[in-house]
Amino acid sequence: MSARPRLALFSTICAVLALGVPGISAQAQASSSSDVYVSPVIGNDHADGTARHPVRTLRRAQDLVRARAPRLTADLTVHLAPGTYRQTTPLVLDARDSGTGGHRVVWQGDGGAVISGGRQVTGWRRVPGRPGLWSAPAPQGLTDTRQLYVDGVRAQRARGAVPVQLTQTATGYTASSDTLAHWKHPSDAEFVYTSGEALWNIERDGLGQWTEPRCRIAAAQGTTITMVQPCWDNSNKRVEFPDIPGRTVGMVGPGKLTDGGRATYIENAYELLDQPGEWYLDRTAHTVYYLPREGERLAHADVEAAAGEKLVEGRGTAAAPVHDIAFRGLRFSYATWLTPSRPEGFSEIQAGYTVTGAQGWATQGLCQYVEGGTCPFASWTKMPGNVSFAYGQRIEFADDVFAHLGAAGLDLGTGTKDSTVDGSVFTDISGNGLEIGGVDGQTPASGVQVTDNHLYGLPREYHGGVAVLNGYTQHDTIAHNQIDHVGYSAISLGWGGWPDKIGDPATPNPSHDNAVRDNLVFDYMQMLDDGGGIYTQGLTGTSMTDGEKVTGNVIHDQWGLGKNVYTDNGCTYETVEGNVLYHAAYANVASRHTDYRDDLGNNDPTLVKGNWWEEGTADGDNKGLVTSGNTIMAGLSDVPSDVLENAGLEAPYRGLLNLRVGALSVPEAPSRVGTSTAGADALYVTFNPSFADGGSPVISYTARVHDASGSEVGRRTVSAAEFKRTALVRVDGLTGGPFTVTVTAANAHGDSAPSLASAPLTPTAATVPPPAPTSPKLRTARTAATLAWTPPTTTGDAKVVGYLVTVSDGRDPIAVTGRDVLVGQPSAKGMFRVIGELKPGTSYTVTVATVTAAGTGAAAKVTATTGS
């Protein structure tokens, strides 16, 4: 805070001091005499904690609570006045901090209270010889961080293309030159392995298309690059079955970094500072560097380096749980997580779980499948929460904000019971938004209610994270939340189902009676693949009665490859009923899995009933996979309005959608730019859109084409709406090659930084027309039909960019475009589209033809009659 605002605030405080603590209502000040009052501005830890004499710190308030909690006759409220409560260590709560006598201890933010692990960075100066670059001394006590924020806007750790060619070795790489060895601090730098479905000339690396692992460089000497351990071995030596080539004993992803272990990009080096919004902490020189965005004035900005790793930590035990505590109206911000920067790194398995430990690759979570394997199966290491509870009972979070955080936002872990998260916002979080329970075989979470929250714009760093992660739990409800603009799956439940890949039953677990209902989920899987709006795997109960219920949700507009509701490995006893599901990549619901708990050859018991969808699968009982009474929807007008209106935030909570967190800014850069020939003088460009929009919707994207010298030789701007419809930008008028492409996103506040560049590509003429799709089917209802087909296995001399559908009633041909078109062909995933406005009891002939840069190929044809 600058001197002038601080003086103004002090004057205000002096003027109203006689009336009590600023920001605390008269009603609150007149409440129970046992209440505690805290102010970070005028408080004094030698005071008695009354409304007129507040204490200053949470730690001192905790002391007063512990003295009063054993004798409660009403709720005890800790009133937190507006201001920032800076934590050098977490507020650690245990049984002594609990409510008693049926009453709660309520930590109440009375308007603008921020619990922060940040350190303000001040004293900014221009760096001589580096135009635009500024530096400041690192704050006292800051030894490392992974996050920096300017006026509440996350800055990007300096990143760029790997400047050398890499050949993988047992301990790292051999580089094509000694460039990295000459960097100031090569051991600060971190390789990032962005995964994804193989698409055009996007490299597919990492540890599965749902992951984004990271490992730091240990040393760069000459052309020898040594990577840190155990991250390197945990990412490259995962045990495989000797008799099942390529199948890891963990059964989740490959045994080593794919694509030769080449990193997608490199992060965290002074030498990479080249784009506005990038920063770097030189730990040796104790100096922070930053390239300001347009309009940022560092002399007046609040620059926060995330320092603490925990803000609040509830440490209950099975014998002495922490209980009856509420957190209301608070903001939790500016915490980091440093494990990925250490030798442990970030060797991801799924949803932020990682392989850890010196021999993690050989034993962790491998249980009965290897000698010395730890149990239960798949008990890998969960990402921690910056706010976390273990063995907490009747813990409440209401009207809170979890933002600007570097791990998971909130973890209600092992032993959590009868707790609620209500009316809160989760955004700008590095990893998972909210975590519930665990998968380590200890006491499951139970009775957790997650209702009417808004989760969006995450994960910002560990892109395989999910908005809500639910492990082994009982009687949990996830209802009436809105989840939008997320990088991977929105809601992920269950674990341990992967053994069905080798014909074994899913891992036994205590889960049952969980419900996911009436949520609104859209614009999800914006960066990674193989997930869903609601993703479930493993046993969900002991019968259809107590198995998981997925009901009344509205889920639409998926970008990555996957499904609206994804019942993955071993998902058993799940009911999917009354949902509205559309605009998915290749299925609205389910994947069929064999039930290996016996030798009968049945499928995992699943009921898919009464949904509105586009998939159009007919009613039937496929050995326990029951499909019944679903409706093909040609548009939202086919869905009862009350079903649509009931999903998402309930009326009293819809104001959360207007709550702004942080300053308005430009969007985050798009990612995973890929190119394909569009003819001898043109390129098609696709990319993953910006799901962190800076608080203002993205309105357009601009693709810029660069020649081998880096000069721009072409560009094209398209609206965000057009790109969402086509997933393509075509740039014409190119001569020669090869070319790389970068993409920027624009909102009302300007352009993002450019994306990382695509791989080089030279456009070529496309003259060979594509073959026809195969296996066309027309799944009919009375007035609509779903046309389904399989993409061709070969496409001539260009990639698929669309399909053309004709209907025998003479209507204009229907152009089929979108991201699913691009990912469907190389992955051999089926396609489908709904054809509406049909007449009952009428025969129709429909054709579908493949479109590439060479033109429209031959058509496949199918005939069927609508229902009467």
Side-chain angles (χ1 to χ4, degrees):
M1 183 182 291
S2 64
R4 183 171 295 175
R6 187 178 287 116
L7 288 172
L9 177 60
F10 180 73
S11 299
T12 301
I13 292 168
C14 292
V16 301
L17 187 57
L19 300 178
V21 181
I24 296 179
S25 66
Q27 180 180 2
Q29 294 179 41
S31 63
S32 168
S33 60
S34 67
D35 283 359
V36 175
Y37 295 81
V38 196
S39 170
V41 180
I42 64 167
N44 185 326
D45 277 354
H46 295 292
D48 58 10
T50 59
R52 295 184 181 276
H53 303 96
V55 296
R56 183 173 180 272
T57 66
L58 303 183
R59 194 62 44 77
R60 179 56 183 153
Q62 180 185 35
D63 292 339
L64 296 176
V65 168
R66 286 183 171 179
R68 302 173 189 184
R71 297 174 298 277
L72 295 184
T73 58
D75 286 355
L76 189 164
T77 301
V78 182
H79 298 273
L80 304 183
T84 300
Y85 296 82
R86 295 189 181 275
Q87 302 288 95
T88 57
T89 57
L91 177 65
V92 177
L93 305 175
D94 59 31
R96 295 171 292 174
D97 302 286
S98 303
T100 58
H103 305 293
R104 289 189 169 188
V105 174
V106 180
W107 296 77
Q108 175 72 59
D110 288 323
V114 181
I115 298 178
S116 170
R119 302 288 181 275
Q120 280 191 310
V121 184
T122 59
W124 291 96
R125 298 289 185 271
R126 296 182 185 273
V127 176
R130 288 290 307 270
L133 185 63
W134 292 66
S135 70
Q140 184 69 31
L142 181 72
T143 58
D144 199 4
T145 185
R146 295 179 65 89
Q147 291 83 32
L148 187 78
Y149 302 86
V150 180
D151 287 329
V153 176
R154 180 181 292 238
Q156 170 64 55
R157 285 207 310 174
R159 68 173 184 172
V162 180
V164 292
Q165 297 297 312
L166 300 173
T167 302
Q168 190 172 0
T169 67
T171 58
Y173 301 96
T174 298
S176 57
S177 75
D178 63 355
T179 299
L180 294 180
H182 294 287
W183 283 8
K184 290 177 66 174
H185 303 294
S187 62
D188 283 352
E190 184 174 284
F191 284 158
V192 183
Y193 304 87
T194 299
S195 306
E197 184 61 44
L199 173 66
W200 292 4
N201 67 331
I202 298 175
E203 295 176 354
R204 177 177 176 177
D205 47 29
L207 290 164
Q209 62 207 52
W210 55 91
T211 68
E212 192 179 71
R214 295 166 170 260
C215 283
R216 186 170 56 79
I217 294 173
Q221 298 176 323
T223 60
T224 299
I225 298 174
T226 304
M227 302 298 289
V228 294
Q229 295 287 14
C231 185
W232 185 249
D233 280 354
N234 285 339
S235 303
N236 285 287
K237 295 176 67 174
R238 296 180 183 177
V239 180
E240 297 182 356
F241 286 107
D243 55 342
I244 311 177
R247 174 68 71 200
T248 62
V249 174
M251 293 172 256
V252 189
K256 60 184 178 182
L257 295 167
T258 55
D259 203 22
R262 288 179 293 177
T264 308
Y265 62 93
I266 189 170
E267 190 171 283
N268 199 41
Y270 177 85
E271 289 76 8
L272 299 173
L273 285 164
D274 62 356
Q275 297 295 333
E278 288 188 332
W279 68 279
Y280 168 69
L281 170 63
D282 187 327
R283 294 177 298 159
T284 302
H286 207 60
T287 300
V288 181
Y289 294 92
Y290 180 62
L291 271 170
R293 300 178 178 96
E294 184 177 356
E296 289 179 334
R297 301 291 181 264
L298 294 182
H300 305 287
D302 175 22
V303 182
E304 299 277 350
E309 295 188 74
K310 290 279 189 181
L311 299 176
V312 176
E313 185 174 12
R315 297 180 184 172
T317 66
V322 55
H323 58 89
D324 296 291
I325 301 177
F327 300 86
R328 300 172 182 165
L330 298 172
R331 180 170 294 196
F332 301 94
S333 291
Y334 304 126
T336 190
W337 177 40
L338 297 178
T339 296
S341 296
R342 296 170 181 147
E344 198 73 73
F346 189 72
S347 180
E348 190 170 23
I349 283 280
Q350 185 168 316
Y353 275 86
T354 55
V355 177
T356 60
Q359 293 293 308
W361 60 273
T363 62
Q364 189 179 25
L366 302 186
C367 202
Q368 72 271 27
Y369 293 108
V370 299
E371 185 176 353
T374 61
C375 296
F377 172 76
S379 56
W380 297 297
T381 302
K382 185 172 66 174
M383 179 184 294
N386 292 130
V387 179
S388 66
F389 275 79
Y391 291 99
Q393 297 182 5
R394 297 177 298 282
I395 306 299
E396 174 194 330
F397 288 89
D399 305 319
D400 297 316
V401 174
F402 296 83
H404 315 324
L405 298 172
L410 172 61
D411 177 22
L412 298 178
T414 296
T416 300
K417 185 176 181 181
D418 299 333
S419 297
T420 61
V421 183
D422 177 70
S424 296
V425 170
F426 294 75
T427 190
D428 189 28
I429 296 169
S430 288
N432 298 318
L434 167 62
E435 299 176 335
I436 309 167
V439 298
D440 56 6
Q442 299 184 43
T443 307
S446 64
V448 177
Q449 310 292 307
V450 179
T451 57
D452 288 294
N453 303 285
H454 188 203
L455 303 97
Y456 70 98
L458 59 90
R460 296 295 301 275
E461 185 174 1
Y462 312 108
H463 294 116
V466 302
V468 179
L469 177 65
N470 190 96
Y472 294 150
T473 63
Q474 302 169 356
H475 298 285
D476 281 5
T477 299
I478 302 170
H480 285 294
N481 303 285
Q482 177 169 316
I483 303 175
D484 60 90
H485 295 88
V486 293
Y488 181 50
S489 296
I491 301 173
S492 180
L493 303 98
W495 206 249
W498 298 287
D500 78 353
K501 292 183 176 182
I502 62 168
D504 283 356
T507 304
N509 72 74
S511 293
H512 60 80
D513 290 292
N514 293 312
V516 185
R517 59 175 177 80
D518 306 319
N519 299 284
L520 174 60
V521 176
F522 60 93
D523 289 337
Y524 60 97
M525 291 183 64
Q526 297 281 288
M527 191 164 181
L528 298 184
D529 295 292
D530 200 12
I534 297 173
Y535 171 93
T536 302
Q537 63 126 305
L539 297 167
T540 74
T542 63
S543 67
M544 292 303 298
T545 300
D546 70 359
E548 183 177 294
K549 306 296 188 295
V550 177
T551 61
N553 303 283
V554 175
I555 307 174
H556 63 91
D557 288 294
Q558 169 187 303
W559 188 258
L561 192 65
K563 304 158 188 176
N564 294 131
V565 177
Y566 194 159
T567 56
D568 204 4
N569 300 103
C571 180
T572 305
Y573 299 128
E574 176 153 342
T575 296
V576 182
E577 183 173 4
N579 304 281
V580 180
L581 311 170
Y582 60 100
H583 294 175
Y586 67 95
N588 291 136
V589 180
S591 54
R592 185 208 61 80
H593 291 280
T594 301
D595 186 351
Y596 290 106
R597 293 176 298 164
D598 53 39
D599 297 323
L600 300 177
N602 291 324
N603 293 321
D604 292 326
T606 306
L607 175 62
V608 182
K609 178 182 179 182
N611 301 284
W612 292 266
W613 64 353
E614 297 173 324
E615 185 175 337
T617 302
D619 289 358
D621 184 345
N622 181 11
K623 297 182 178 180
L625 173 56
V626 178
T627 305
S628 173
N630 301 290
T631 301
I632 296 175
M633 53 176 285
L636 292 181
S637 60
D638 294 336
V639 182
S641 59
D642 60 329
V643 175
L644 297 173
E645 292 167 1
N646 188 54
L649 300 177
E650 296 175 282
Y653 297 90
R654 290 174 188 161
L656 292 177
L657 301 178
N658 301 317
L659 178 65
R660 194 175 78 199
V661 178
L664 294 171
S665 181
V666 299
E668 187 175 49
S671 62
R672 295 185 65 219
V673 181
T675 53
S676 175
T677 186
D681 65 347
L683 287 176
Y684 284 124
V685 182
T686 191
F687 49 88
N688 287 64
S690 303
F691 61 89
D693 61 14
S696 179
V698 174
I699 56 177
S700 65
Y701 294 98
T702 299
R704 293 175 170 84
V705 182
H706 310 273
D707 63 16
S709 71
S711 298
E712 184 179 313
V713 295
R715 73 164 67 180
R716 186 182 171 204
T717 298
V718 299
S719 70
E722 179 182 349
F723 181 71
K724 187 171 186 177
R725 179 177 59 83
T726 66
L728 290 173
V729 179
R730 180 186 172 108
V731 185
D732 297 290
L734 305 176
T735 303
F739 302 110
T740 58
V741 180
T742 59
V743 182
T744 55
N747 64 9
H749 301 277
D751 290 342
S752 72
S755 68
L756 297 170
S758 67
L761 183 70
T762 299
T764 57
T767 59
V768 179
T774 61
S775 305
K777 296 180 178 64
L778 203 59
R779 303 164 180 162
T780 59
R782 290 187 71 254
T783 60
T786 295
L787 173 65
W789 68 93
T790 301
T793 56
T794 61
T795 62
D797 51 8
K799 302 294 186 181
V800 175
V801 296
Y803 294 91
L804 195 66
V805 173
T806 67
V807 185
S808 58
D809 61 5
R811 70 182 69 188
D812 290 339
I814 302 167
V816 176
T817 61
R819 182 69 165 193
D820 59 338
V821 168
L822 308 186
V823 300
Q825 190 274 325
S827 61
K829 301 297 185 183
M831 296 283 301
F832 58 88
R833 285 295 188 275
V834 173
I835 302 169
E837 299 180 345
L838 302 179
K839 296 179 180 179
T842 304
S843 176
Y844 289 90
T845 297
V846 178
T847 69
V848 55
T850 312
V851 179
T852 71
T856 303
K861 183 168 64 175
V862 62
T863 299
T865 301
T866 53
S868 57

